[in-house]
């Protein structure tokens, strides 16, 4: 693994909790319910995928996340813990 790949792996692994917190208000899930993957760091913006309760969202942003649901995912959304 080259130095650039190592930096990307360290960055994407280390920032997953921050990205989950940034995604939380936009998708309506608590940060600890959110799984982050497909992190892409660009010159002007970071983008990632967030999964929660069976739904996947595409998110992007620097200071505030903007997330939209992935309409191609066909899983059934799961209720929040403790919800009827």
């Amino acid at each position: 693994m080259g130095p650039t790949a190592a930096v990307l792996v360290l960055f994407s692994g280390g920032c997953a909790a921050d990205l989950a917190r940034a995604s939380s208000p936009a998708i309506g899930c608590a940060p600890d319910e959110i799984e982050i993957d497909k992190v892409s760091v660009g010159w002007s913006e970071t983008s990632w995928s967030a999964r929660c309760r069976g739904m996947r969202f595409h998110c992007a942003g620097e200071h505030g996340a903007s997330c939209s649901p992935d309409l191609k995912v066909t899983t059934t959304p799961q209720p929040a813990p403790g919800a009827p």
Side-chain angles (χ1 to χ4, degrees):
M1 177 182 328
T4 304
V7 170
L8 182 58
V9 169
L10 289 173
F11 180 79
S12 65
C15 72
D18 291 336
L19 294 177
R21 281 192 294 277
S23 305
S24 180
I27 65 176
C29 293
D32 62 346
E33 295 180 88
I34 300 171
E35 295 176 32
I36 301 294
D37 63 1
K38 299 181 183 178
V39 177
S40 175
V41 180
W43 287 106
S44 63
E45 189 170 79
T46 302
S47 63
W48 63 95
S49 288
R51 182 185 295 269
C52 178
R53 300 183 200 144
M55 293 188 66
R56 179 177 295 280
F57 299 85
H58 298 287
C59 302
E62 280 301 312
H63 302 291
S66 172
C67 299
S68 60
D70 182 348
L71 301 177
K72 295 178 190 173
V73 176
T74 58
T75 59
T76 304
Q78 302 297 314

